[in-house]
Amino acid sequence: SAYDAAGNGSFATADVIATTWPSTSNKFSINNRIKTTSTLNVRQTPSSSGTLLGSQSSDSLGTVTGGSTYADGYWWWQINYDIDSDGWSIESSMDLPPVLNSTIFTPTLEGVAGINARSFTFNIYNIISISDQAQFTASGNTSSQVILPSTVTNLREDRYNIYVKSVGYLKVKIADTRLASGATVPLSALKAGDLNDDGIINSLDWSSMNANWFTNNITSDVNKDGIVNTIDFSWMNKNWLQADAI
């Protein structure tokens, strides 16, 4: 500051520089599942200078546990990755996993060669997020495939437990399987003999088969050769007292 002869003071003024930060990123929410779109670093803190904990390759999956935080020109999210290092990564290299479409399942049934026109009920559960799950019924085609119906729109590329049931067969489980659009998912063979669909093969099923012995009853005719006989019973006997997968 300076003063004139009359004692009046003058003061230097400093320029004020305001830094405008972007508004909060809403790309993700806590507990969202994410998929990396390129190789990216994982850091201990949300900063380009944060300690490097490791890296994740493209197509890795994880769960959002913190964020968003803006630093060094990037939005950062804290991710619990399914495999390897967890920490902070930039959002430009992550996205929500894409919605599944045209996923192909290939179930098989004991005793028969193909599954054309056979009906299957699927219950699919995300192993991490309980909000991503679906139930649907679809039929096999001439290529022994079941295609994910286009009406199923709440499943994204991720890891799932899959339960499959067909009439007269025990329910099978395929655990922790990653589903992707257009991918083919082989399934375990469904075990024959649960004629009353109560989830266990026992004397009640045998009673049903015995009552239809030497007939063409479609339920008891496991191998669909047009007659209920010892060949059908052999499948039931093979799986005696076995139960639905849980």
Side-chain angles (χ1 to χ4, degrees):
S1 59
Y3 297 89
D4 60 16
N8 297 311
S10 62
F11 303 89
T13 59
D15 292 332
V16 177
I17 300 174
T19 300
T20 302
W21 295 90
S23 59
T24 300
S25 172
N26 296 316
K27 184 173 183 178
F28 304 121
S29 299
I30 301 300
N31 295 324
N32 271 169
R33 295 285 287 165
I34 63 92
K35 175 184 175 183
T36 61
T37 56
S38 63
T39 299
L40 79 170
N41 290 327
V42 182
R43 298 188 180 275
Q44 188 173 25
T45 55
S47 169
S48 297
S49 59
T51 300
L52 182 64
L53 301 177
S55 64
Q56 291 286 340
S57 60
S58 180
D59 295 332
S60 297
L61 297 171
T63 303
V64 177
T65 58
S68 59
T69 297
Y70 189 81
D72 303 325
Y74 298 102
W75 283 108
W76 298 78
W77 296 86
Q78 190 174 28
I79 308 297
N80 179 10
Y81 288 101
D82 290 3
I83 300 174
D84 297 329
S85 301
D86 305 324
W88 293 86
S89 298
I90 58 173
E91 77 168 26
S92 58
S93 293
M94 299 182 286
D95 210 340
L96 295 174
V99 173
L100 292 176
N101 68 83
S102 302
T103 303
I104 301 168
F105 301 94
T106 57
T108 56
L109 299 173
E110 285 186 340
V112 294
I115 62 167
N116 184 39
R118 298 296 293 266
S119 180
F120 296 86
T121 297
F122 286 73
N123 285 275
I124 302 180
Y125 303 92
N126 190 299
I127 66 168
I128 304 295
S129 171
I130 60 174
S131 64
D132 295 332
Q133 57 190 43
Q135 180 183 39
F136 62 89
T137 298
S139 296
N141 59 25
T142 56
S143 299
S144 292
Q145 301 171 333
V146 176
I147 311 298
L148 181 72
S150 59
T151 53
V152 179
T153 59
N154 65 322
L155 294 180
R156 294 179 177 272
E157 182 177 334
D158 211 336
R159 296 160 55 199
Y160 295 90
N161 290 329
I162 306 169
Y163 294 86
V164 186
K165 168 70 178 172
S166 188
V167 173
Y169 291 81
L170 293 175
K171 182 188 302 179
V172 67
K173 176 184 180 181
I174 302 86
D176 197 356
T177 296
R178 183 163 176 169
L179 300 183
S181 295
T184 298
V185 183
L187 304 177
S188 303
L190 279 68
K191 296 179 179 180
D194 186 20
L195 303 188
N196 64 350
D197 293 308
D198 66 350
I200 188 171
I201 298 171
N202 57 19
S203 59
L204 295 177
D205 302 295
W206 163 239
S207 295
S208 177
M209 179 176 285
N210 187 50
N212 295 301
W213 201 252
F214 288 142
T215 73
N216 63 353
N217 179 268
I218 192 169
T219 301
S220 297
D221 183 17
V222 172
N223 68 344
K224 302 297 182 279
D225 65 352
I227 187 169
V228 179
N229 57 20
T230 55
I231 297 176
D232 303 297
F233 175 71
S234 69
W235 287 107
M236 179 181 292
N237 186 56
K238 168 184 172 293
N239 299 319
W240 196 253
L241 296 183
Q242 294 197 44
D244 279 346
I246 56 173

